[in-house]
């Protein structure tokens, strides 16, 4: 949220994720700090728990769990078991600490994994899957959807959000400013729907959540600006500037409805693929 790195995706940012300053920024930015590093808010997540039909006997898979904020929030709310996959070791370290502090570590397992590779699970291992603001970083989401379908039990739900759906005109300069976290792929409306269908999913619901980007980015920008001196001291003026540019561009694109954040809820086939 604050001064993020340019060269290593989210990694070095996650090392400071739970420092007192970062916690304060998240509280000021989101209202409720659930340890998210995305456009997800607690209210949205509560509704998504219901959408996923989770119960205490569910096995949930979180693809790209980051520092396990949303994942531990769901587990603490529902009492289900959950597995988080994530590329960043620092995020997973913070995530395990968070699970322990919340007293849900016995229910949560984490694994470092690259979502560009086949998922490291037997077929039908999970009853639900979520992926919050991650798919735009995956090079081949078509294969990821197939792998997700394979990893789910019959008719299990898969919910994901994509903040990179092109719904208007976006310039090359805006694309650059909007992608400071490494590989980022923007797709046109209908693209995710087609790939889900190809992976055997039945689309149940699509919801436009673009407003959450504008709201949360504005909150993050205001919090950063209020703590500018401390942030610049911690990570330097260049990092502050890059993050400011990123958030301002996210706000501009979402308010113009040029780039949208969309939620997709889909159901795995009656017989899991594979
Ligand atoms: C915007 S963050 C969202 C984190 C978390 N879902 C949340 O809502 O707080 C995107 C996450 O995707 C992870 N990620 C990006 N590319 C990945 C990949 N190829 N495999 C696994 N995780 C990846 C990043 O490290 C980052 O933690």
């Amino acid at each position: 949220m604050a001064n993020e790195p340019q060269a290593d995706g989210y990694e070095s940012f996650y090392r400071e994720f739970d420092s007192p300053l970062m916690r304060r920024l998240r509280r000021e930015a989101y209202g409720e700090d659930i340890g998210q590093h995305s456009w997800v808010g607690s209210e949205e997540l509560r509704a998504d728990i219901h959408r996923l039909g989770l119960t205490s006997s569910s096995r949930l898979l979180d693809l790209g769990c980051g520092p396990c904020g949303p994942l531990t929030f769901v587990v603490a709310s529902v009492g289900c078991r959950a597995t988080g996959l994530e590329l960043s070791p620092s995020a997973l370290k913070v995530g395990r600490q968070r699970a322990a502090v919340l007293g849900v570590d016995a229910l949560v397992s984490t694994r470092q994994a690259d979502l560009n590779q086949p998922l490291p699970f037997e077929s039908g291992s999970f009853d639900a899957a979520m992926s919050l603001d991650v798919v735009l970083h995956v090079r081949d989401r078509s294969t990821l959807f197939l792998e997700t379908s394979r990893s789910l039990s019959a008719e299990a739900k898969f919910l994901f959000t994509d903040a990179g759906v092109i719904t208007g005109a976006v310039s090359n300069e805006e694309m650059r400013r909007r992608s400071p976290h490494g590989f980022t792929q923007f797709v046109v409306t209908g693209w995710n729907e087609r790939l889900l269908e190809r992976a055997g999913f039945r689309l149940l619901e699509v919801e436009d959540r673009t407003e959450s980007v504008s709201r949360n980015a504005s909150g993050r920008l205001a919090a950063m600006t209020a703590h500018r001196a401390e942030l610049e001291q911690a990570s330097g003026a260049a990092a502050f500037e890059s993050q400011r540019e990123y958030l301002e561009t996210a706000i501009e694109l979402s308010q113009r409805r040029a780039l949208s954040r969309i939620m997709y809820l889909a159901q795995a086939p009656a017989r899991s693929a594979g």
Side-chain angles (χ1 to χ4, degrees):
M1 181 166 76
N3 294 6
E4 296 179 41
Q6 300 305 294
D8 61 351
Y10 293 88
E11 179 62 19
S12 54
F13 170 72
Y14 281 145
R15 286 184 209 122
E16 296 300 315
F17 192 74
D18 263 342
S19 71
L21 176 59
M22 293 301 142
R23 284 166 181 268
R24 192 150 105 224
L25 284 164
R26 279 200 298 280
R27 262 199 319 275
E28 290 178 18
Y30 294 103
E32 190 176 354
D33 170 19
I34 61 165
Q36 68 274 64
H37 187 55
S38 58
W39 309 115
V40 177
S42 53
E43 209 175 302
E44 174 184 305
L45 197 52
R46 283 191 189 96
D48 288 345
I49 288 173
H50 183 69
R51 280 190 171 86
L52 283 166
L54 295 172
T55 67
S56 58
S57 58
S58 303
R59 299 161 301 168
L60 170 69
L61 172 62
D62 187 1
L63 300 162
C65 59
C68 298
L71 178 64
T72 52
F73 180 89
V74 171
V75 171
S77 307
V78 178
C80 61
R81 276 176 293 150
T83 300
L85 291 187
E86 165 61 45
L87 197 56
S88 160
S90 299
L92 292 175
K93 189 173 165 206
V94 172
R96 282 190 293 271
Q97 285 162 357
R98 173 173 295 277
V101 168
L102 291 173
V104 295
D105 40 334
L107 295 172
V108 171
S109 68
T110 57
R111 195 148 163 177
Q112 189 189 3
D114 182 352
L115 298 177
N116 294 302
Q117 302 296 324
L119 298 182
F121 304 113
E122 303 272 311
S123 298
S125 298
F126 298 96
D127 309 306
M130 67 179 190
S131 187
L132 307 175
D133 299 337
V134 175
V135 291
L136 80 176
H137 296 310
V138 175
R139 288 172 191 274
D140 179 5
R141 70 181 80 184
S142 169
T143 303
L144 176 63
F145 291 172
L146 277 166
E147 278 291 287
T148 305
S149 172
R150 181 188 64 73
S151 303
L152 286 172
S153 56
E155 299 188 344
K157 306 255 178 69
F158 174 36
L159 184 150
F160 73 95
T161 52
D162 182 1
V165 179
I166 300 170
T167 44
V170 185
S171 75
N172 61 329
E173 185 56 16
E174 288 170 327
M175 291 274 191
R176 183 193 66 72
R177 292 177 176 190
R178 183 62 184 75
S179 338
H181 305 112
F183 180 84
T184 308
Q185 189 175 58
F186 301 105
V187 302
V188 292
T189 302
W191 187 259
N192 287 316
E193 289 89 330
R194 276 202 294 283
L195 296 190
L196 282 168
E197 198 181 318
R198 224 184 277 168
F201 283 103
R202 185 164 74 90
L203 192 61
L204 300 177
E205 187 183 353
V206 175
E207 184 177 79
D208 188 331
R209 294 186 176 175
T210 310
E211 197 274 329
S212 61
V213 177
S214 157
R215 180 168 22 91
N216 290 330
S218 300
R220 285 160 61 166
L221 190 58
M224 267 182 65
T225 306
H227 298 280
R228 180 172 190 149
E230 294 155 89
L231 287 168
E232 287 193 345
Q233 196 180 13
S235 322
F240 183 94
E241 188 50 27
S242 152
Q243 182 65 5
R244 190 187 58 75
E245 193 180 77
Y246 163 66
L247 291 171
E248 279 180 0
T249 306
I251 294 165
E252 162 66 25
L253 289 173
S254 56
Q255 288 183 349
R256 220 169 73 211
R257 298 271 154 180
L259 200 61
S260 296
R261 177 172 184 256
I262 307 290
M263 182 283 295
Y264 303 85
L265 178 69
Q267 189 169 37
R271 282 163 164 257
S272 61

